Amino acid sequence: MREKIINLIGETLRLNPGIITEETMAKDVEAWDSLAQVLIIGELESKLGICIPLDEAGDIYGVKDILEKAGV
Amino acid sequence: MKKIAILSNININPVARLLKKEFDVYETEGYGNELELLLNKGSSLYGFHPEAIFLIEDTMEMIHHELSEESAKRHISNWFETVTASMDPGCEYFISDAYLYGNEMMFPETRKRKRRLECLWDDKLDALIAKNPNVYVFPYRVIIEAIGEEKAFSRKMWYLGKVLHSMDAHQRICEEIVQQIRINEYMPKKVLVLDLDYTLWGGIAGETDLSPVNLSDDGAGLFYKDTQRVIRQIKDNGAVLCIVSKNNEADAMDLIANHPHMVLRPDDFAILEINWNDKASNIRKIVDRLNVGLDSFVFIDDSEHERQLVREMLPEVEVPDFPEKVDLLPEFMVRIFRTYFEKSRITKEDTQKTRQYILNERRSRLLDEMASFHKYLAALNITVTRVDAAKNVDRVLQLVNKTNQFNLTTRRYTMPEMERALSGDKKVYSFRVSDKFGDSGIVAVLIVDTEDEVPVMEEFTMSCRVMGRNIEYGLIDYVEKDLIRCGYDSLYASYIPTQKNRPVAGFYENLGYELEEEKDGEKRYRLDLHHRKERNFLLKFIEMEADTV
């Protein structure tokens, strides 16, 4: 599942595989802006069924936060 | 790269991002401010100089969730009024059709109202398009319907950032934007040549006793019937259908005329070549009879062998691969339409193309029967009616921009150029032609620039459908006489050669125009309007159509 999530983040940001890792932080990726963050959260829910509550969306600063909230 | 802007009342910026590789896309400032951007000529939108603006509007936001017809109508009218007031004739506008989506639409009462509220928008859009040739429908609703509301919309993204659509829907919207730009610029094909056995029906005609052809309301037979239904739509959207097939003609014709499940009947085809000759020769015969270039043909055949032969003998003809499974056939035909035949706007002339060619066949039969060409022209009873070009801009633009053979200068016009020409700085003549067999529609355009002392014929184009009846001589005579009436003494004209317009290379010489200058094949002529040769034609002219649609 961790791999699936990381791949989905990469695809949503339209980056080549391998660029996004477990350590990636949003501020270090140019394409990962607030709009991209919305898309990532939306895609996690619709493609992988991972629901990040609206009020927690602001606490996400990188891949680690997402994995943690997904509980994997 | 084409410069486009995508504006919306919701956050559609993901679409703009996805299109950055294909187009130079305007970076929007937020969303929901599309009307302000359009109205303010000093806005960054106009600083960007977009060639095409896509307005993809969410209907629910548009009507502010006010689901009474009255309120919805008010919001929609306001929007259209503002957009109309802000429109720039030099820009193309693609406006989405309506789709009403929202939590409150899950109720029986609102469900019932959905279509009616959507129609309020669609009717306004249709009216805007009818008045403005630079406005097109962006087929948005069909995208949502194709993937379904659950997949098309994302509640999570909506609440997080007013992003209404899922990534799948964004992707589809992007593909449609690419398609709309493409069909607005390309040269659509004209003739769809079809095989019969295993293309229009399963099995082989003429072997009915052994194996009846498969064409019915169920199973594989239904795939073929549905395929024919799609082909009929391709025809109604402007393609000319022909048959090239190896069968016994009598067997095949019997089937086409009488099989209870045939959707296409003999009259749906302009020409049927059903014989045992090779298909390349048959296609060449159709080229001669229709007077359409080979590069306007698409050939569909289930046999790899036949396709290969046509590809080798007639490389200009488009020969798409045939689907391996019959159940893919109807979709395959839809794809053929979208790839080769789809147009941004359809004129009345488009919808009757096959019929026009059938009438031409009857005309040529009359020519065979008549002892002389003169008698033939007299028997045709040709009437030429001048029509108001300003009221038929779509067709006028289509003629000047898509006609290749009978086109003396092959000068193309953008919408704004044509509007300027029509608004007074040039004389634009457009003509409808009809005869005893029927109406051919608007088929010729002549444009004379009268800015200088000596007027210049900068455009003379006529549809190849009406060539060979001396109509062109009558048209030029009409224009020359009109210029004489306006007090002019001479007229400049020119012939600019292209790959396609050689048939008219000697046109002006034959009419007694004097060659003044020749450079790189381009010939410039002058005509003394008071010393014209007699023009040889047999037409009845009607001055101006009272009411043209």
Side-chain angles (χ1 to χ4, degrees):
Chain A
M1 193 49 144
R2 295 174 85 86
E3 202 176 323
K4 270 192 188 163
I5 292 173
I6 289 169
N7 286 344
L8 187 83
I9 295 169
E11 279 166 29
T12 308
L13 297 172
R14 299 178 70 81
L15 297 171
N16 290 330
I19 293 180
I20 298 294
T21 66
E22 289 197 18
E23 310 302 323
T24 305
M25 298 298 286
K27 64 176 168 52
D28 299 328
V29 182
E30 201 195 336
W32 194 335
D33 58 8
S34 60
L35 177 61
Q37 179 113 331
V38 170
L39 300 181
I40 290 168
I41 295 169
E43 287 290 280
L44 283 171
E45 186 166 313
S46 61
K47 294 271 163 65
L48 301 178
I50 295 166
C51 178
I52 294 172
L54 287 175
D55 55 358
E56 292 177 23
D59 308 336
I60 291 171
Y61 300 98
V63 177
K64 266 212 176 101
D65 297 327
I66 292 176
L67 294 174
E68 195 181 299
K69 298 213 182 281
V72 291
Chain B
M1 266 205 286
K2 192 160 179 115
K3 289 166 90 85
I4 69 167
I6 303 158
L7 307 178
S8 179
N9 56 353
I10 51 159
N11 189 346
I12 200 109
N13 296 350
V15 169
R17 285 190 183 183
L18 288 172
L19 284 170
K20 272 190 182 144
K21 282 201 186 101
E22 281 95 348
F23 303 108
D24 187 1
V25 189
Y26 168 66
E27 299 269 356
T28 43
E29 301 155 353
Y31 50 87
N33 53 351
E34 77 280 18
L35 293 178
E36 288 85 342
L37 284 170
L38 285 169
L39 273 178
N40 176 7
K41 296 289 167 187
S43 70
S44 59
L45 173 69
Y46 293 103
F48 173 76
H49 296 296
E51 295 163 86
I53 297 176
F54 287 82
L55 287 158
I56 298 170
E57 300 292 311
D58 175 54
T59 312
M60 187 59 95
E61 288 294 295
M62 168 68 52
I63 62 173
H64 296 79
H65 294 257
E66 292 170 20
L67 294 169
S68 80
E69 259 186 73
E70 207 179 311
S71 316
K73 209 180 250 173
R74 199 179 61 243
H75 290 300
I76 289 170
S77 297
N78 285 344
W79 192 89
F80 273 98
E81 266 169 41
T82 314
V83 167
T84 309
S86 75
M87 266 181 4
D88 167 5
C91 183
E92 279 154 353
Y93 295 80
F94 295 83
I95 302 176
S96 59
D97 47 14
Y99 191 92
L100 191 55
Y101 168 76
N103 296 314
E104 59 266 60
M105 295 314 289
M106 303 302 163
F107 295 82
E109 260 317 300
T110 46
R111 275 275 162 211
K112 253 197 284 183
R113 230 176 298 159
K114 180 172 186 284
R115 278 305 298 143
R116 233 177 316 136
L117 293 170
E118 287 172 347
C119 276
L120 292 176
W121 173 270
D122 290 347
D123 290 348
K124 278 270 179 197
L125 179 55
D126 284 345
L128 185 70
I129 286 169
K131 277 198 212 116
N132 297 279
N134 55 333
V135 183
Y136 309 91
V137 184
F138 181 77
Y140 166 71
R141 182 188 308 126
V142 73
I143 295 175
I144 306 302
E145 285 171 347
I147 55 180
E149 289 186 349
E150 277 182 24
K151 282 210 175 113
F153 300 114
S154 165
R155 290 223 163 84
K156 188 48 89 41
M157 295 190 206
W158 176 246
Y159 294 118
L160 274 175
K162 287 279 159 88
V163 176
L164 181 64
H165 300 100
S166 69
M167 283 309 278
D168 288 347
H170 289 142
Q171 194 58 48
R172 295 263 185 153
I173 292 170
C174 287
E175 285 163 15
E176 197 53 48
I177 287 174
V178 172
Q179 168 78 351
Q180 291 300 320
I181 297 266
R182 187 181 77 87
I183 62 171
N184 208 25
E185 292 175 345
Y186 83 148
M187 189 68 87
K189 303 289 177 190
K190 293 180 180 156
V191 185
L192 181 59
V193 177
L194 299 154
D195 173 45
L196 290 175
D197 297 333
Y198 293 104
T199 301
L200 292 194
W201 53 65
I204 297 169
E207 295 185 358
T208 320
D209 296 329
L210 302 167
S211 57
V213 300
N214 202 351
L215 181 65
S216 62
D217 272 332
D218 37 20
L222 182 55
F223 286 126
Y224 288 105
K225 191 168 182 178
D226 280 344
T227 302
Q228 290 198 25
R229 288 173 169 141
V230 175
I231 295 171
R232 185 171 56 188
Q233 286 307 316
I234 299 179
K235 171 185 166 254
D236 290 345
N237 280 274
V240 173
L241 304 182
C242 292
I243 296 289
V244 167
S245 179
K246 290 180 175 165
N247 293 87
N248 279 325
E249 190 178 3
D251 295 337
M253 285 309 289
D254 178 41
L255 221 154
I256 296 171
N258 301 315
H259 193 288
H261 291 288
M262 275 300 288
V263 176
L264 299 163
R265 295 294 185 189
D267 264 1
D268 290 311
F269 303 100
I271 294 176
L272 302 98
E273 289 291 342
I274 303 171
N275 53 50
W276 300 98
N277 300 336
D278 77 89
K279 297 204 171 189
S281 310
N282 276 331
I283 292 174
R284 276 214 193 86
K285 260 205 283 192
I286 296 179
V287 168
D288 290 341
R289 284 165 66 191
L290 292 183
N291 203 9
V292 173
L294 269 174
D295 57 1
S296 293
F297 279 68
V298 177
F299 174 68
I300 307 288
D301 200 305
D302 65 293
S303 149
E304 171 63 28
H305 168 77
E306 299 289 2
R307 293 199 302 272
Q308 211 43 47
L309 176 102
V310 171
R311 276 190 197 120
E312 271 164 36
M313 306 282 289
L314 309 171
E316 302 97 319
V317 173
E318 205 64 57
V319 185
D321 286 333
F322 195 83
E324 291 194 0
K325 287 191 186 140
V326 56
D327 46 342
L328 298 174
L329 205 46
E331 295 164 45
F332 164 75
M333 282 298 174
V334 173
R335 207 165 57 244
I336 292 294
F337 172 70
R338 296 222 76 186
T339 310
Y340 300 113
F341 294 98
E342 187 173 6
K343 295 173 190 170
S344 320
R345 290 173 85 99
I346 305 247
T347 61
K348 195 169 140 256
E349 278 78 4
D350 286 328
T351 60
Q352 300 177 349
K353 243 182 194 166
T354 295
R355 188 177 152 68
Q356 293 300 338
Y357 285 110
I358 291 172
L359 293 181
N360 265 357
E361 281 290 294
R362 293 189 189 146
R363 289 183 185 106
S364 67
R365 238 172 285 147
L366 177 69
L367 176 59
D368 290 342
E369 286 164 19
M370 291 287 159
S372 77
F373 185 58
H374 185 86
K375 275 192 186 145
Y376 162 68
L377 288 184
L380 272 180
N381 252 329
I382 305 170
T383 303
V384 174
T385 310
R386 174 129 187 235
V387 298
D388 187 348
K391 287 187 187 152
N392 296 280
V393 183
D394 270 359
R395 177 60 180 161
V396 167
L397 273 178
Q398 189 181 45
L399 277 168
V400 299
N401 289 333
K402 305 283 172 178
T403 311
N404 294 316
Q405 289 185 70
F406 195 107
N407 196 335
L408 273 308
T409 54
T410 319
R411 209 190 130 143
R412 308 302 196 193
Y413 293 74
T414 62
M415 185 60 220
E417 283 171 334
M418 185 56 75
E419 295 219 310
R420 270 199 301 280
L422 287 168
S423 65
D425 77 355
K426 283 167 188 171
K427 281 173 169 284
V428 183
Y429 302 85
S430 54
F431 298 97
R432 170 187 300 281
V433 169
S434 62
D435 64 16
K436 70 178 257 184
F437 290 106
D439 188 348
S440 297
I442 299 168
V443 288
V445 177
L446 295 89
I447 300 176
V448 178
D449 185 348
T450 52
E451 205 186 329
D452 293 326
E453 199 177 320
V454 178
V456 181
M457 175 91 72
E458 61 173 39
E459 175 81 24
F460 183 0
T461 187
M462 191 175 82
S463 162
C464 55
R465 290 205 302 248
V466 296
M467 276 168 80
R469 289 174 231 160
N470 285 11
I471 291 166
E472 57 273 30
Y473 301 133
L475 300 181
I476 199 145
D477 186 69
Y478 177 96
V479 171
E480 289 163 355
K481 281 182 179 151
D482 189 51
L483 293 171
I484 292 169
R485 263 197 305 279
C486 295
Y488 294 105
D489 299 319
S490 53
L491 168 66
Y492 283 127
S494 51
Y495 167 72
I496 302 172
T498 66
Q499 294 259 316
K500 301 272 184 92
N501 72 354
R502 259 172 236 138
V504 293
F507 180 72
Y508 286 119
E509 270 104 335
N510 293 339
L511 290 172
Y513 281 63
E514 266 179 58
L515 184 63
E516 287 220 317
E517 198 187 336
E518 186 167 359
K519 210 172 137 192
D520 305 327
E522 181 179 336
K523 297 180 186 172
R524 201 173 148 81
Y525 302 91
R526 186 184 181 113
L527 176 74
D528 179 347
L529 284 167
H530 300 297
H531 294 93
R532 300 184 308 137
K533 269 182 22 184
E534 176 114 19
R535 307 281 185 240
N536 174 25
F537 57 89
L538 263 175
L539 311 170
K540 188 177 135 223
F541 268 96
I542 296 177
E543 197 35 51
M544 184 74 89
E545 221 164 49
D547 193 28
T548 46
V549 181

